[in-house]
Amino acid sequence: MVRIAICDDESVFSEGLQRRLKQEFGSYDIECDFYIVLNGKELISLCQNRRIDVVFLDIMMPGIDGYATAERIRKIHKNIMIVFISN
C-alpha cells in the first residue's frame, strides 16, 4: 500500500492528479491511499499523524509555500518522497 498526499490550493487540480495517479498505479496493480489537502499547514499536520510515502506538493501556495512546507516535512520524516508540482 502506497500512501500518497496531494497538496495544492486548487482542489480541481488535486482531484485531477488523483484520478490520473489512480489510473496509472492501478495499471500496475498497486494499491494506494490518497489524501488531498489544500495548504502546507494541513499537509504538515497530516504527515505528523499518518505515515505518508509520497507527497505531490505545489510550490506556490498562500501561507506556507511548498519549499517551506517541504523543509518542515523533512524534519518529521526524512525518507518521504517529495515531488514538486506547479500549475
Side-chain angles (χ1 to χ4, degrees):
M1 175 74 63
V2 179
R3 292 164 191 86
I4 300 171
I6 300 171
C7 181
D8 194 301
D9 56 321
E10 295 183 31
S11 60
V12 172
F13 177 79
S14 298
E15 291 165 3
L17 179 58
Q18 179 183 3
R19 279 192 302 277
R20 288 189 295 265
L21 291 171
K22 275 185 179 181
Q23 183 179 8
E24 188 65 26
F25 280 104
S27 70
Y28 293 99
D29 292 325
I30 299 172
E31 290 186 40
C32 298
D33 276 341
F34 288 92
Y35 304 90
I36 294 178
V37 295
L38 299 174
N39 59 58
K41 186 176 178 181
E42 288 181 39
L43 180 61
I44 292 165
S45 177
L46 176 68
C47 290
Q48 288 172 331
N49 295 308
R50 297 199 186 276
R51 187 182 135 235
I52 302 295
D53 301 304
V54 181
V55 171
F56 288 86
L57 178 57
D58 187 15
I59 296 170
M60 302 294 291
M61 295 183 293
I64 306 170
D65 70 12
Y67 297 119
T69 301
E71 286 180 25
R72 293 183 187 179
I73 290 171
R74 280 280 182 242
K75 291 178 183 175
I76 298 167
H77 297 291
K78 291 182 172 85
N79 295 324
I80 197 167
M81 180 184 291
I82 300 173
V83 179
F84 287 105
I85 55 177
S86 185
N87 191 5

